Amino acid sequence: MKRVLLADQQPLVVAGVRHILQQQTGFSIVDEVQSKNTFVQQLQQHKPDILIADYNCPEFIGRQEIGQVKNWSPTTNTLIISANSDNATILEVIQ
C-alpha cells in the first residue's frame, strides 16, 4: 500500500485527488496539508511514499520546499500538480 500525502491550498483540488485515489487500489492517504506551516511537520511525521503537491502558489510550497523534500523524507517521491503551463515555471520546479 502506497502512503500518500496531499498538499494543496484548494479544498476542491484535494477532494478531487482524494476521490481519484480512493477509487484505486494500493493507495492510502495519510494526511492532507493545506498550510505551509504544517507541510514540513506532516512530511517528516508521515514520511509518505508519495507527495502530491500543488505548485500553483509558490508562497505555499515553492521551489525551495520541493528541493528539500528528500532531506526531510528521503524515501518520498514527489508528484507536482499545477495549472501553470508556462515552460519556465515547469523547468524551474523540476531542476
Coordinates of all heavy atoms in Angstrom, one line a residue:
M1 N 0.8 -1.2 0.0 CA 0.0 0.0 0.0 C 0.9 1.2 0.0 O 1.7 1.4 0.9 CB -0.9 0.0 1.2 CG -1.8 1.1 1.4 SD -3.4 1.1 0.5 CE -4.1 -0.4 1.0
K2 N 0.7 2.1 -1.0 CA 1.5 3.4 -1.1 C 0.8 4.4 -0.2 O -0.4 4.7 -0.4 CB 1.6 3.8 -2.5 CG 2.3 2.9 -3.4 CD 3.8 2.9 -3.1 CE 4.5 2.0 -4.1 NZ 6.0 2.0 -3.8
R3 N 1.6 5.0 0.7 CA 1.1 6.1 1.5 C 1.3 7.4 0.9 O 2.4 7.7 0.4 CB 1.8 6.0 2.9 CG 1.5 4.7 3.6 CD 2.3 4.4 4.8 NE 3.8 4.7 4.6 CZ 4.5 5.7 5.1 NH1 3.9 6.6 5.9 NH2 5.7 5.9 4.9
V4 N 0.2 8.2 0.8 CA 0.2 9.5 0.0 C -0.1 10.6 1.0 O -1.0 10.6 1.8 CB -0.9 9.4 -1.1 CG1 -0.9 10.7 -1.9 CG2 -0.6 8.3 -2.0
L5 N 0.7 11.7 0.8 CA 0.4 13.0 1.5 C 0.0 14.0 0.4 O 0.7 14.2 -0.6 CB 1.7 13.5 2.2 CG 1.5 14.9 2.9 CD1 0.5 14.8 4.0 CD2 2.9 15.3 3.4
L6 N -1.2 14.6 0.6 CA -1.7 15.6 -0.4 C -1.4 17.0 0.2 O -1.7 17.3 1.4 CB -3.2 15.4 -0.5 CG -3.7 14.1 -1.1 CD1 -5.3 14.1 -1.1 CD2 -3.2 13.8 -2.4
A7 N -0.9 17.8 -0.7 CA -0.5 19.2 -0.2 C -1.1 20.2 -1.3 O -0.5 20.3 -2.4 CB 1.0 19.4 -0.1
D8 N -2.2 20.9 -0.9 CA -2.8 21.8 -1.9 C -3.6 22.8 -1.0 O -4.3 22.3 -0.1 CB -3.6 21.1 -2.9 CG -3.9 22.0 -4.1 OD1 -4.5 23.1 -3.9 OD2 -3.7 21.6 -5.2
Q9 N -3.6 24.0 -1.4 CA -4.4 25.0 -0.7 C -5.9 25.0 -1.1 O -6.7 25.6 -0.4 CB -3.9 26.4 -0.9 CG -2.6 26.7 -0.1 CD -2.1 28.1 -0.3 OE1 -2.0 28.6 -1.4 NE2 -1.9 28.8 0.9
Q10 N -6.2 24.4 -2.2 CA -7.6 24.4 -2.7 C -8.3 23.2 -2.3 O -8.0 22.0 -2.7 CB -7.5 24.5 -4.2 CG -6.8 25.7 -4.8 CD -7.5 27.0 -4.4 OE1 -8.7 27.1 -4.3 NE2 -6.7 28.0 -4.1
P11 N -9.3 23.3 -1.4 CA -10.0 22.1 -0.9 C -10.7 21.3 -2.0 O -10.8 20.1 -1.9 CB -11.1 22.7 0.0 CG -10.5 24.1 0.4 CD -9.7 24.5 -0.7
L12 N -11.1 22.0 -3.1 CA -11.8 21.2 -4.2 C -10.8 20.3 -4.9 O -11.1 19.2 -5.3 CB -12.4 22.2 -5.2 CG -13.2 21.6 -6.3 CD1 -14.4 20.8 -5.7 CD2 -13.8 22.7 -7.2
V13 N -9.5 20.8 -5.1 CA -8.5 20.0 -5.7 C -8.2 18.8 -4.8 O -8.1 17.7 -5.3 CB -7.2 20.8 -6.0 CG1 -6.1 20.0 -6.5 CG2 -7.5 21.9 -7.0
V14 N -8.0 19.1 -3.5 CA -7.7 18.0 -2.6 C -8.8 16.9 -2.6 O -8.5 15.7 -2.7 CB -7.5 18.5 -1.1 CG1 -7.4 17.4 -0.1 CG2 -6.3 19.4 -1.1
A15 N -10.1 17.4 -2.6 CA -11.2 16.5 -2.6 C -11.2 15.6 -3.9 O -11.5 14.4 -3.9 CB -12.5 17.2 -2.5
G16 N -10.9 16.3 -5.0 CA -10.8 15.6 -6.3 C -9.7 14.5 -6.4 O -10.0 13.4 -6.8
V17 N -8.5 14.9 -5.9 CA -7.4 13.9 -5.9 C -7.7 12.8 -4.9 O -7.5 11.6 -5.2 CB -6.1 14.6 -5.6 CG1 -5.0 13.6 -5.4 CG2 -5.7 15.6 -6.7
R18 N -8.3 13.1 -3.8 CA -8.6 12.1 -2.8 C -9.6 11.1 -3.4 O -9.5 9.9 -3.2 CB -9.2 12.8 -1.5 CG -9.6 11.7 -0.5 CD -10.3 12.3 0.8 NE -10.2 13.7 1.1 CZ -11.2 14.6 0.8 NH1 -12.3 14.2 0.3 NH2 -11.0 15.8 1.1
H19 N -10.6 11.7 -4.1 CA -11.6 10.8 -4.7 C -11.0 9.8 -5.7 O -11.3 8.7 -5.7 CB -12.7 11.7 -5.3 CG -13.8 10.9 -6.0 ND1 -14.8 10.2 -5.4 CD2 -14.0 10.6 -7.4 CE1 -15.5 9.6 -6.2 NE2 -15.1 9.8 -7.5
I20 N -10.1 10.4 -6.5 CA -9.5 9.5 -7.5 C -8.7 8.4 -6.9 O -8.7 7.3 -7.3 CB -8.6 10.4 -8.5 CG1 -9.5 11.3 -9.4 CG2 -7.7 9.5 -9.3 CD1 -8.7 12.4 -10.1
L21 N -7.9 8.8 -5.8 CA -7.1 7.8 -5.2 C -7.9 6.8 -4.4 O -7.5 5.6 -4.4 CB -6.1 8.5 -4.2 CG -5.0 9.3 -4.9 CD1 -4.1 10.0 -3.8 CD2 -4.1 8.4 -5.8
Q22 N -9.0 7.2 -3.9 CA -9.9 6.2 -3.2 C -10.5 5.2 -4.1 O -10.9 4.1 -3.6 CB -10.9 7.0 -2.4 CG -10.4 7.7 -1.2 CD -11.4 8.6 -0.5 OE1 -12.4 9.0 -1.1 NE2 -11.1 8.9 0.8
Q23 N -10.6 5.5 -5.4 CA -11.2 4.6 -6.3 C -10.1 3.6 -6.8 O -10.5 2.6 -7.5 CB -11.7 5.4 -7.6 CG -12.7 6.4 -7.2 CD -13.9 5.8 -6.5 OE1 -14.5 4.8 -7.0 NE2 -14.3 6.4 -5.4
Q24 N -8.9 3.8 -6.5 CA -7.8 2.9 -6.9 C -7.4 2.0 -5.7 O -7.5 2.4 -4.6 CB -6.6 3.8 -7.3 CG -6.8 4.8 -8.4 CD -7.4 4.2 -9.7 OE1 -6.8 3.3 -10.2 NE2 -8.4 4.8 -10.2
T25 N -6.9 0.9 -6.1 CA -6.3 0.0 -5.0 C -4.8 0.3 -4.9 O -4.2 0.8 -5.8 CB -6.5 -1.5 -5.4 OG1 -5.9 -1.7 -6.6 CG2 -8.0 -1.8 -5.4
G26 N -4.3 0.2 -3.7 CA -2.9 0.3 -3.4 C -2.5 1.7 -2.9 O -1.3 2.0 -2.8
F27 N -3.5 2.6 -2.6 CA -3.1 3.9 -2.1 C -3.9 4.2 -0.8 O -5.0 3.9 -0.7 CB -3.5 5.0 -3.1 CG -2.7 5.0 -4.4 CD1 -3.2 4.4 -5.5 CD2 -1.4 5.5 -4.5 CE1 -2.5 4.3 -6.7 CE2 -0.7 5.4 -5.6 CZ -1.3 4.8 -6.8
S28 N -3.1 4.8 0.1 CA -3.7 5.2 1.4 C -3.3 6.7 1.6 O -2.1 7.0 1.6 CB -3.2 4.3 2.5 OG -3.6 4.8 3.8
I29 N -4.3 7.6 1.8 CA -3.9 9.0 2.1 C -3.7 9.1 3.6 O -4.5 8.9 4.4 CB -5.1 9.9 1.7 CG1 -5.3 9.7 0.2 CG2 -4.8 11.3 2.1 CD1 -6.6 10.4 -0.4
V30 N -2.4 9.5 3.9 CA -2.0 9.6 5.3 C -2.4 10.9 5.9 O -2.6 11.1 7.1 CB -0.5 9.3 5.5 CG1 -0.2 7.9 5.2 CG2 0.3 10.3 4.8
D31 N -2.5 12.0 5.1 CA -2.9 13.3 5.6 C -3.1 14.3 4.4 O -2.6 14.0 3.3 CB -1.8 13.9 6.5 CG -2.4 14.8 7.6 OD1 -3.6 15.3 7.4 OD2 -1.8 15.1 8.6
E32 N -3.7 15.4 4.7 CA -3.9 16.4 3.7 C -3.4 17.7 4.3 O -3.8 18.1 5.5 CB -5.4 16.6 3.4 CG -6.0 15.3 2.8 CD -7.5 15.4 2.6 OE1 -8.1 16.4 2.9 OE2 -8.0 14.4 2.2
V33 N -2.5 18.4 3.7 CA -1.8 19.6 4.2 C -2.4 20.8 3.3 O -2.3 20.8 2.1 CB -0.3 19.5 4.0 CG1 0.3 20.8 4.5 CG2 0.2 18.4 4.8
Q34 N -2.9 21.8 4.0 CA -3.4 23.0 3.3 C -2.7 24.2 3.8 O -3.2 25.3 3.6 CB -4.9 23.1 3.5 CG -5.6 21.9 2.8 CD -7.1 22.0 2.9 OE1 -7.7 22.6 3.8 NE2 -7.8 21.3 2.0
S35 N -1.6 24.1 4.5 CA -0.9 25.2 5.1 C 0.6 25.0 5.0 O 1.1 23.9 5.3 CB -1.3 25.4 6.5 OG -0.4 26.2 7.2
K36 N 1.4 26.0 4.6 CA 2.8 25.9 4.5 C 3.4 25.6 5.9 O 4.4 24.9 6.1 CB 3.4 27.1 4.0 CG 4.9 27.1 3.7 CD 5.4 28.3 3.0 CE 6.8 28.3 2.7 NZ 7.3 29.4 1.9
N37 N 2.7 26.1 7.0 CA 3.2 26.0 8.3 C 3.2 24.5 8.8 O 4.0 24.2 9.6 CB 2.3 26.8 9.3 CG 2.3 28.3 9.0 OD1 3.3 28.8 8.5 ND2 1.2 28.9 9.4
T38 N 2.3 23.7 8.3 CA 2.3 22.3 8.7 C 2.9 21.3 7.7 O 3.1 20.2 8.0 CB 0.9 21.8 9.0 OG1 0.1 22.0 7.8 CG2 0.3 22.6 10.1
F39 N 3.3 21.8 6.5 CA 3.8 21.0 5.4 C 5.0 20.1 5.9 O 5.0 18.9 5.8 CB 4.2 21.8 4.2 CG 4.9 21.1 3.1 CD1 4.2 20.1 2.4 CD2 6.2 21.3 2.8 CE1 4.9 19.3 1.4 CE2 6.9 20.6 1.9 CZ 6.2 19.6 1.2
V40 N 6.1 20.8 6.4 CA 7.3 20.1 6.7 C 7.0 19.1 7.9 O 7.5 18.0 7.9 CB 8.4 21.0 7.1 CG1 9.7 20.3 7.6 CG2 8.8 21.9 5.9
Q41 N 6.3 19.6 8.9 CA 5.9 18.7 10.0 C 5.2 17.5 9.6 O 5.6 16.4 10.0 CB 5.1 19.5 11.0 CG 4.6 18.7 12.2 CD 3.6 19.5 13.0 OE1 3.2 20.6 12.7 NE2 3.2 18.8 14.1
Q42 N 4.2 17.6 8.7 CA 3.5 16.4 8.3 C 4.3 15.5 7.4 O 4.2 14.3 7.5 CB 2.2 16.8 7.6 CG 1.2 17.6 8.5 CD 0.8 16.8 9.7 OE1 0.6 15.6 9.6 NE2 0.7 17.4 10.8
L43 N 5.1 16.1 6.6 CA 6.0 15.3 5.7 C 7.0 14.5 6.6 O 7.1 13.3 6.3 CB 6.8 16.2 4.8 CG 7.7 15.6 3.7 CD1 6.9 14.7 2.7 CD2 8.5 16.6 3.0
Q44 N 7.6 15.1 7.6 CA 8.5 14.4 8.4 C 7.8 13.3 9.3 O 8.4 12.3 9.6 CB 9.3 15.3 9.3 CG 10.3 16.2 8.5 CD 11.0 17.2 9.3 OE1 10.4 17.8 10.2 NE2 12.3 17.4 9.0
Q45 N 6.6 13.7 9.8 CA 5.9 12.7 10.6 C 5.4 11.5 9.9 O 5.6 10.4 10.3 CB 4.7 13.4 11.2 CG 3.8 12.5 12.1 CD 2.5 13.2 12.6 OE1 2.5 14.4 12.6 NE2 1.6 12.4 12.9
H46 N 4.9 11.7 8.7 CA 4.3 10.6 8.0 C 5.2 9.9 7.0 O 5.0 8.7 6.7 CB 3.1 11.0 7.1 CG 1.9 11.5 8.0 ND1 1.2 10.7 8.8 CD2 1.4 12.7 8.2 CE1 0.3 11.4 9.4 NE2 0.4 12.6 9.1
K47 N 6.3 10.6 6.6 CA 7.2 10.0 5.6 C 6.5 9.2 4.5 O 6.7 8.0 4.4 CB 8.3 9.2 6.3 CG 9.1 10.0 7.3 CD 10.5 9.4 7.5 CE 11.3 10.2 8.6 NZ 11.5 11.6 8.3
P48 N 5.7 9.9 3.8 CA 4.8 9.2 2.8 C 5.7 8.6 1.7 O 6.8 9.1 1.4 CB 3.9 10.3 2.3 CG 4.7 11.5 2.4 CD 5.5 11.3 3.7
D49 N 5.1 7.6 1.0 CA 5.8 7.1 -0.2 C 5.7 8.1 -1.4 O 6.6 8.3 -2.2 CB 5.1 5.8 -0.7 CG 5.3 4.7 0.4 OD1 6.4 4.4 0.8 OD2 4.2 4.2 0.8
I50 N 4.6 8.8 -1.4 CA 4.3 9.8 -2.5 C 3.8 11.1 -1.9 O 2.8 11.1 -1.0 CB 3.2 9.2 -3.5 CG1 3.7 7.9 -4.0 CG2 2.9 10.3 -4.6 CD1 2.6 7.2 -4.8
L51 N 4.3 12.2 -2.3 CA 3.8 13.5 -2.0 C 3.2 14.1 -3.3 O 3.8 14.1 -4.3 CB 4.9 14.5 -1.6 CG 4.6 16.0 -1.6 CD1 3.6 16.3 -0.5 CD2 5.9 16.8 -1.4
I52 N 1.9 14.4 -3.2 CA 1.2 15.1 -4.4 C 1.1 16.5 -3.9 O 0.3 16.8 -3.0 CB -0.1 14.4 -4.7 CG1 0.1 13.0 -5.1 CG2 -0.8 15.2 -5.9 CD1 -1.1 12.2 -5.4
A53 N 1.8 17.4 -4.6 CA 1.8 18.8 -4.2 C 1.5 19.8 -5.3 O 1.9 19.6 -6.5 CB 3.2 19.2 -3.6
D54 N 0.8 20.9 -4.9 CA 0.4 21.9 -5.8 C 1.6 22.9 -6.0 O 2.2 23.2 -5.0 CB -0.8 22.7 -5.3 CG -1.2 23.9 -6.1 OD1 -1.0 23.9 -7.3 OD2 -1.7 24.8 -5.5
Y55 N 1.8 23.3 -7.2 CA 2.9 24.3 -7.4 C 2.3 25.6 -8.1 O 3.0 26.4 -8.6 CB 4.0 23.7 -8.3 CG 5.3 24.6 -8.3 CD1 6.1 24.6 -7.2 CD2 5.6 25.3 -9.4 CE1 7.2 25.3 -7.1 CE2 6.8 26.1 -9.4 CZ 7.6 26.1 -8.2 OH 8.7 26.8 -8.2
N56 N 1.0 25.8 -8.0 CA 0.4 27.0 -8.5 C 0.7 28.2 -7.6 O 0.6 29.3 -8.1 CB -1.1 26.8 -8.6 CG -1.5 25.9 -9.7 OD1 -0.8 25.7 -10.7 ND2 -2.6 25.2 -9.6
C57 N 0.9 27.9 -6.4 CA 1.1 29.0 -5.4 C 2.4 28.9 -4.7 O 2.5 28.3 -3.6 CB -0.1 29.0 -4.4 SG -0.2 30.3 -3.3
P58 N 3.5 29.5 -5.2 CA 4.8 29.3 -4.6 C 4.9 29.8 -3.2 O 5.8 29.3 -2.5 CB 5.7 30.1 -5.5 CG 5.0 30.2 -6.8 CD 3.5 30.2 -6.5
E59 N 4.0 30.7 -2.7 CA 4.0 31.0 -1.3 C 3.7 29.9 -0.4 O 3.9 29.8 0.8 CB 3.1 32.2 -1.0 CG 3.1 33.4 -1.8 CD 2.4 33.3 -3.1 OE1 1.2 32.9 -3.2 OE2 3.1 33.5 -4.1
F60 N 2.9 28.9 -1.0 CA 2.5 27.7 -0.2 C 3.7 26.7 -0.2 O 4.3 26.4 0.8 CB 1.2 27.2 -0.8 CG 0.8 25.9 -0.2 CD1 0.6 25.7 1.2 CD2 0.5 24.8 -1.0 CE1 0.2 24.6 1.7 CE2 0.0 23.6 -0.4 CZ -0.1 23.5 0.9
I61 N 3.9 26.1 -1.3 CA 5.0 25.2 -1.5 C 5.8 25.6 -2.7 O 5.3 25.5 -3.8 CB 4.6 23.7 -1.6 CG1 3.8 23.3 -0.4 CG2 5.7 22.8 -1.9 CD1 3.2 21.9 -0.5
G62 N 7.0 26.1 -2.5 CA 7.7 26.7 -3.6 C 8.9 25.8 -4.0 O 9.1 24.7 -3.5
R63 N 9.7 26.3 -4.8 CA 10.9 25.6 -5.3 C 11.8 25.1 -4.2 O 12.3 24.0 -4.2 CB 11.7 26.5 -6.3 CG 12.9 25.8 -6.9 CD 13.6 26.7 -7.8 NE 14.7 26.1 -8.4 CZ 15.6 26.7 -9.1 NH1 15.5 28.0 -9.4 NH2 16.7 26.1 -9.6
Q64 N 12.0 26.0 -3.2 CA 12.8 25.6 -2.0 C 12.3 24.4 -1.3 O 13.0 23.5 -1.0 CB 13.0 26.8 -1.1 CG 13.9 26.6 0.1 CD 14.1 27.8 0.9 OE1 13.5 28.8 0.7 NE2 14.9 27.6 2.0
E65 N 11.0 24.4 -1.0 CA 10.4 23.3 -0.3 C 10.4 22.0 -1.1 O 10.8 21.0 -0.6 CB 8.9 23.6 0.1 CG 8.8 24.7 1.2 CD 9.0 26.1 0.7 OE1 8.8 26.3 -0.5 OE2 9.2 27.0 1.5
I66 N 10.2 22.1 -2.4 CA 10.2 20.9 -3.2 C 11.6 20.4 -3.3 O 11.9 19.2 -3.2 CB 9.7 21.2 -4.7 CG1 8.3 21.7 -4.7 CG2 10.0 20.1 -5.6 CD1 7.3 20.6 -4.1
G67 N 12.6 21.3 -3.3 CA 14.0 20.9 -3.3 C 14.5 20.2 -2.0 O 15.4 19.4 -2.0
Q68 N 13.8 20.5 -0.9 CA 14.1 19.9 0.4 C 13.4 18.6 0.7 O 13.7 18.0 1.8 CB 13.8 21.0 1.5 CG 14.7 22.2 1.4 CD 16.2 21.8 1.7 OE1 16.4 21.0 2.6 NE2 17.1 22.4 1.0
V69 N 12.4 18.2 -0.1 CA 11.6 17.1 0.3 C 12.5 15.9 0.6 O 12.3 15.2 1.6 CB 10.6 16.7 -0.8 CG1 10.0 15.3 -0.6 CG2 9.5 17.8 -0.9
K70 N 13.5 15.6 -0.2 CA 14.3 14.4 0.0 C 15.2 14.5 1.3 O 15.5 13.5 1.9 CB 15.3 14.2 -1.2 CG 14.6 13.6 -2.4 CD 14.0 12.2 -2.2 CE 13.4 11.7 -3.4 NZ 12.8 10.4 -3.2
N71 N 15.5 15.8 1.7 CA 16.2 15.9 3.0 C 15.2 15.6 4.2 O 15.7 15.1 5.2 CB 16.7 17.4 3.1 CG 17.8 17.6 2.2 OD1 18.5 16.7 1.7 ND2 17.9 18.9 1.8
W72 N 14.0 16.0 4.1 CA 13.0 15.9 5.1 C 12.4 14.4 5.2 O 12.1 14.0 6.3 CB 11.9 16.9 5.0 CG 12.3 18.3 5.2 CD1 13.3 18.8 6.0 CD2 11.8 19.4 4.4 NE1 13.4 20.1 5.9 CE2 12.5 20.5 4.9 CE3 10.9 19.6 3.4 CZ2 12.3 21.8 4.4 CZ3 10.7 20.8 2.9 CH2 11.4 22.0 3.4
S73 N 12.3 13.8 4.0 CA 11.7 12.5 3.9 C 12.4 11.8 2.7 O 11.9 11.8 1.6 CB 10.2 12.6 3.8 OG 9.6 11.3 3.7
P74 N 13.5 11.2 2.9 CA 14.4 10.6 1.9 C 13.7 9.6 0.9 O 14.1 9.5 -0.2 CB 15.6 10.0 2.6 CG 15.6 10.6 3.9 CD 14.2 11.0 4.3
T75 N 12.7 8.9 1.4 CA 12.1 7.9 0.5 C 10.9 8.4 -0.2 O 10.2 7.6 -1.0 CB 11.7 6.6 1.3 OG1 10.8 7.0 2.3 CG2 13.0 6.0 2.0
T76 N 10.5 9.6 0.0 CA 9.3 10.2 -0.6 C 9.5 10.6 -2.1 O 10.5 11.3 -2.4 CB 8.8 11.4 0.2 OG1 8.5 11.0 1.5 CG2 7.6 12.0 -0.5
N77 N 8.7 10.1 -3.0 CA 8.7 10.6 -4.3 C 7.6 11.7 -4.5 O 6.6 11.7 -3.8 CB 8.3 9.4 -5.3 CG 9.4 8.4 -5.3 OD1 10.5 8.6 -5.7 ND2 9.0 7.2 -4.9
T78 N 7.9 12.7 -5.3 CA 7.0 13.8 -5.4 C 6.4 13.9 -6.8 O 7.0 13.8 -7.8 CB 7.8 15.1 -5.2 OG1 8.5 15.0 -3.9 CG2 7.0 16.3 -5.2
L79 N 5.1 14.2 -6.8 CA 4.3 14.4 -8.0 C 3.8 15.9 -7.9 O 3.0 16.2 -6.9 CB 3.1 13.5 -8.1 CG 2.1 13.7 -9.3 CD1 2.8 13.6 -10.6 CD2 0.9 12.8 -9.2
I80 N 4.2 16.7 -8.8 CA 3.7 18.1 -8.8 C 2.5 18.3 -9.7 O 2.5 17.8 -10.8 CB 4.9 19.0 -9.3 CG1 6.1 18.9 -8.4 CG2 4.4 20.5 -9.3 CD1 6.0 19.3 -7.0
I81 N 1.5 18.9 -9.1 CA 0.4 19.3 -10.0 C 0.3 20.8 -10.1 O 0.6 21.5 -9.1 CB -1.0 18.7 -9.4 CG1 -1.2 19.1 -8.0 CG2 -1.0 17.2 -9.5 CD1 -2.6 18.7 -7.4
S82 N -0.1 21.3 -11.3 CA -0.1 22.7 -11.5 C -1.0 23.0 -12.6 O -1.0 22.3 -13.6 CB 1.3 23.2 -11.7 OG 1.3 24.6 -12.0
A83 N -1.7 24.1 -12.5 CA -2.5 24.6 -13.7 C -1.6 25.5 -14.6 O -2.1 25.9 -15.6 CB -3.7 25.4 -13.2
N84 N -0.4 25.7 -14.2 CA 0.5 26.6 -14.9 C 1.2 25.8 -16.0 O 1.8 24.7 -15.8 CB 1.6 27.1 -14.0 CG 2.4 28.2 -14.6 OD1 2.5 28.3 -15.8 ND2 2.9 29.1 -13.7
S85 N 1.0 26.2 -17.2 CA 1.6 25.5 -18.4 C 2.8 26.3 -18.9 O 3.3 26.0 -20.0 CB 0.6 25.3 -19.5 OG 0.1 26.6 -19.9
D86 N 3.3 27.3 -18.2 CA 4.4 28.1 -18.6 C 5.7 27.2 -18.5 O 6.0 26.7 -17.5 CB 4.6 29.3 -17.7 CG 5.8 30.1 -17.9 OD1 6.0 30.5 -19.1 OD2 6.6 30.4 -17.0
N87 N 6.4 27.1 -19.6 CA 7.6 26.3 -19.7 C 8.7 26.7 -18.6 O 9.3 25.8 -18.0 CB 8.2 26.3 -21.1 CG 7.4 25.5 -22.1 OD1 6.6 24.7 -21.7 ND2 7.6 25.7 -23.3
A88 N 8.9 27.9 -18.4 CA 9.9 28.4 -17.5 C 9.5 27.9 -16.1 O 10.4 27.5 -15.3 CB 10.0 29.9 -17.5
T89 N 8.3 28.0 -15.7 CA 7.9 27.5 -14.3 C 8.0 26.0 -14.2 O 8.5 25.5 -13.2 CB 6.4 27.9 -14.1 OG1 6.2 29.3 -14.2 CG2 5.9 27.4 -12.7
I90 N 7.7 25.3 -15.3 CA 7.8 23.8 -15.2 C 9.3 23.4 -15.1 O 9.7 22.6 -14.3 CB 7.2 23.2 -16.5 CG1 5.7 23.4 -16.5 CG2 7.5 21.7 -16.6 CD1 5.0 23.1 -17.8
L91 N 10.2 24.1 -15.9 CA 11.6 23.8 -15.8 C 12.1 24.2 -14.4 O 13.0 23.5 -13.8 CB 12.4 24.5 -16.9 CG 12.1 24.0 -18.3 CD1 12.8 24.9 -19.3 CD2 12.7 22.6 -18.4
E92 N 11.6 25.3 -13.8 CA 12.1 25.7 -12.5 C 11.8 24.6 -11.4 O 12.7 24.3 -10.6 CB 11.4 27.0 -12.1 CG 11.7 27.5 -10.7 CD 10.9 28.7 -10.4 OE1 11.2 29.7 -11.0 OE2 10.1 28.6 -9.5
V93 N 10.7 24.0 -11.5 CA 10.3 23.1 -10.4 C 11.0 21.7 -10.6 O 11.3 21.1 -9.6 CB 8.8 22.9 -10.3 CG1 8.2 22.1 -11.4 CG2 8.4 22.3 -9.0
I94 N 11.3 21.4 -11.8 CA 12.0 20.0 -12.0 C 13.5 20.1 -11.9 O 14.1 19.1 -11.8 CB 11.6 19.3 -13.3 CG1 12.0 20.1 -14.5 CG2 10.1 19.1 -13.3 CD1 11.7 19.4 -15.8
Q95 N 14.1 21.3 -11.8 CA 15.5 21.4 -11.7 C 16.0 21.1 -10.2 O 15.4 21.3 -9.3 CB 16.0 22.7 -12.1 CG 15.9 22.9 -13.6 CD 16.4 24.2 -14.1 OE1 16.5 25.1 -13.4 NE2 16.6 24.3 -15.4

